Amino acid sequence: MKILFKKNIILGITGGVAAYKTIEIIKKLKEEGASVRVILTKSANLFVTKCTLRVVSGLPILENFVKGNSISHIKLANWADLVILAPATANIIAKLSCGIADDLLTLVCLATLSKIIIVPSMNRNMYVSKSVQYNIKRLERFGMKIFYPEIGRQACGCFGIGRMMNTQKIVNLVIKYFHKKNNYKNLNFMITAGPTREMIDPVRFISNFSSGKMGFFLAEAASCISKNVILISGPVNLPTPKRVKRINVISALEMQKEVMKRIDRQNIFIGCAAVSDYRIQKFSKEKIKKNSNKIKINFIKNPDIIKSIGHLKKNRPYVVGFAAETCNIEKNAIKKIKEKKLDLICANNVTNFSKNFSCNKNALSLIWKNKKKNFPYQKKSVLAKKLIKEIIKNYEKKNRNSNS
Ligand code: PMT
């Protein structure tokens, strides 16, 4: 089956000379099985005719948002599996960078949850100008994909960078994008989050400051690419991310039970929970009374959940651990990656716990057996997306190597 079969693509054409080349893009996308709806901006009208686009796409061409238009920008935004802006002028790039929504195309771009691909095309001096470069980087940071322009002879007679990417290359990259997306859709993720609580008596427990935020953001980021995300969470006060299956637990033993029940079906396991290393040896069924000046509580070791996953001989997933350290951060993290047999460990310095536990930001050092990468202090929501991307990249690499 063709990879673009049943894929809905919006092609936003803006006012550049390369607009005439979009006819080729539409033809090729349709040949690959996609449905293509064209949105034409006012200035694009000057470069390519509506009549031709309608014939090639087989659907009415959409222009500015008009009252009474039965297809609202929200419906269009939801319909699209992908939005491509080709050619993308300096003007549309600037508008998207600022969140301006003053026509149908910009409204759809703001409203869609699907990927947006920007295919810049403009004169070389305009392309290298500071503002255009700044705006392109901003769009990348917003999660849009840039299909960078090529060097060559330009319509204005200049030679340099700014020519729209070759149309066949654009279609090939779109196919590659959907191919990857389809591959990830069925990846099984299991993520643990939050603290565990070890009960002393019916009203008292020991625990830690984990809020669950980092693990929940990871689950949210994973759910954007996969439909199979299980989040096993200790007691936290957070809403469940959409499309994520959540299992609530209290203690380390409960977490271990829920994890191990399902672990043989997972492709990727991320242990972000701050699991209590010890539990109370003898839970007191009655509330402990304050009869003496001192009390003694014995602790015994909890099972190391991630270590037993790392050491699995059969159906072992790609295993990612976290290390919360207050000293010798890297050295201790390396010790953990070896002892627990992890593929990757994300070390964080928790000396000043208010800077990572509970709060919305964190910094991480990603350590593999043979390489290292630092993610500076930033929002956990952003950090989570970067981490999931990095995990998938390395998971794929490991799979490729073990298959070759
Ligand atoms: O929840 P937040 O407020 O957002 O804070 C995020 C965080 C600081 C909790 C998170 O970034 C983090 O560091 N989580 C791991 C904390 C931890 O328990 O670190 P550790 O070094 O003690 O454990 C190492 C690894 O072993 C972890 O992957 C842990 O999940 C796992 N472990 C530990 C003990 C145990 N009995 N079983 C385990 O699986």
Side-chain angles (χ1 to χ4, degrees):
M1 189 178 39
K2 288 177 175 168
I3 193 100
L4 300 187
F5 178 65
K6 282 199 169 175
K7 293 287 179 266
N8 297 331
I9 299 178
I10 288 182
L11 179 65
I13 307 177
T14 67
V17 186
Y20 74 91
K21 295 184 188 169
T22 55
I23 291 161
E24 275 305 301
I25 301 178
I26 300 167
K27 268 174 37 191
K28 287 174 178 155
L29 289 175
K30 284 194 70 190
E31 276 163 23
E32 294 299 332
S35 294
V36 185
R37 297 228 65 168
V38 175
I39 302 181
L40 208 58
T41 62
K42 223 171 171 182
S43 51
N45 248 321
L46 305 171
F47 293 92
V48 64
T49 72
K50 255 191 298 181
C51 179
T52 318
L53 292 169
R54 194 196 185 304
V55 171
V56 182
S57 72
L59 290 166
I61 304 308
L62 304 156
E63 288 179 280
N64 268 332
F65 188 73
V66 282
K67 224 173 149 198
N69 188 345
S70 61
I71 306 171
S72 78
H73 60 286
I74 302 294
K75 264 196 194 161
L76 273 170
N78 291 338
W79 174 83
D81 296 306
L82 180 72
V83 178
I84 308 173
L85 266 58
T89 57
N91 186 48
I92 190 84
I93 289 171
K95 277 187 181 180
L96 294 183
S97 160
C98 299
I100 293 172
D102 62 352
D103 62 9
L104 183 59
L105 184 57
T106 45
L107 278 164
V108 168
C109 286
L110 265 194
T112 190
L113 293 177
S114 295
K115 194 71 161 176
I116 300 176
I117 292 174
I118 309 286
V119 195
S121 168
M122 66 196 79
N123 163 270
R124 64 174 187 195
N125 296 344
M126 289 170 73
Y127 180 70
V128 298
S129 71
K130 281 193 176 150
S131 57
V132 169
Q133 286 304 307
Y134 173 83
N135 286 330
I136 286 178
K137 290 282 163 286
R138 242 165 94 106
L139 296 189
E140 251 179 339
R141 280 208 302 280
F142 292 165
M144 296 183 199
K145 210 165 179 59
I146 314 293
F147 284 2
Y148 282 96
E150 297 169 351
I151 296 172
R153 182 71 55 202
Q154 303 195 299
C156 57
C158 297
F159 185 89
I161 188 153
R163 271 173 69 100
M164 187 168 87
M165 182 186 273
N166 170 284
T167 53
Q168 186 60 54
K169 207 167 157 192
I170 294 173
V171 174
N172 290 347
L173 288 176
V174 168
I175 292 172
K176 203 168 155 195
Y177 164 76
F178 278 112
H179 189 66
K180 270 192 161 177
K181 208 168 169 237
N182 281 355
N183 278 354
Y184 299 153
K185 212 165 68 188
N186 293 318
L187 268 189
N188 295 339
F189 281 86
M190 182 186 274
I191 299 164
T192 64
T196 61
R197 226 177 243 182
E198 308 302 325
M199 298 306 289
I200 299 171
D201 69 15
V203 294
R204 302 181 180 99
F205 57 83
I206 58 158
S207 190
N208 57 64
F209 288 109
S210 170
S211 62
K213 284 178 188 166
M214 190 68 227
F216 274 59
F217 279 128
L218 282 168
E220 190 174 16
S223 76
C224 292
I225 48 170
S226 159
K227 57 184 175 57
N228 307 321
V229 181
I230 299 179
L231 175 64
I232 303 196
S233 175
V236 296
N237 195 11
L238 294 172
T240 311
K242 276 188 206 145
R243 303 179 294 270
V244 168
K245 179 179 158 80
R246 174 176 176 177
I247 298 165
N248 289 326
V249 295
I250 305 282
S251 67
L253 284 182
E254 279 176 38
M255 185 172 274
Q256 182 206 28
K257 190 174 143 214
E258 295 301 334
V259 166
M260 297 318 282
K261 236 196 251 177
R262 302 167 175 86
I263 198 65
D264 59 343
R265 297 188 287 279
Q266 306 310 317
N267 300 104
I268 296 172
F269 174 81
I270 310 175
C272 186
V275 186
S276 195
D277 288 325
Y278 292 89
R279 68 179 181 277
I280 283 73
Q281 188 171 26
K282 198 166 181 321
F283 169 73
S284 164
K285 281 191 188 144
E286 303 299 333
K287 186 180 165 201
I288 298 170
K289 301 279 177 234
K290 50 175 181 188
N291 294 335
S292 58
N293 285 340
K294 268 190 190 172
I295 59 162
K296 199 173 155 194
I297 296 174
N298 282 331
F299 290 94
I300 53 167
K301 228 178 185 175
N302 266 328
D304 193 318
I305 304 171
I306 210 165
K307 189 174 173 183
S308 48
I309 299 171
H311 282 78
L312 282 175
K313 294 273 177 288
K314 235 178 101 190
N315 299 330
R316 179 189 178 281
Y318 188 84
V319 190
V320 181
F322 272 70
E325 303 292 342
T326 52
C327 63
N328 299 325
I329 318 288
E330 205 174 313
K331 204 171 140 206
N332 285 330
I334 291 171
K335 199 167 160 235
K336 280 180 186 165
I337 200 174
K338 284 185 187 153
E339 277 174 10
K340 299 181 189 230
K341 270 201 169 183
L342 309 178
D343 293 288
L344 160 67
I345 195 149
C346 310
N348 43 181
N349 183 342
V350 292
T351 315
N352 183 353
F353 72 84
S354 64
K355 278 194 135 185
N356 32 44
F357 266 110
S358 304
C359 75
N360 292 324
K361 287 185 170 181
N362 200 5
L364 291 174
S365 291
L366 276 53
I367 303 170
W368 291 265
K369 279 162 210 140
N370 53 358
K371 58 178 179 173
K372 219 188 105 177
K373 187 168 188 172
N374 285 327
F375 282 153
Y377 197 61
Q378 59 197 295
K379 282 188 185 156
K380 283 180 182 170
S381 54
V382 181
L383 202 53
K385 283 185 195 152
K386 290 184 184 168
L387 189 52
I388 291 291
K389 230 176 168 176
E390 200 64 49
I391 291 170
I392 288 181
K393 203 167 87 189
N394 285 278
Y395 161 79
E396 276 195 321
K397 207 161 141 192
K398 190 175 172 186
N399 271 1
R400 263 201 311 274
N401 290 345
S402 60
N403 289 338
S404 61

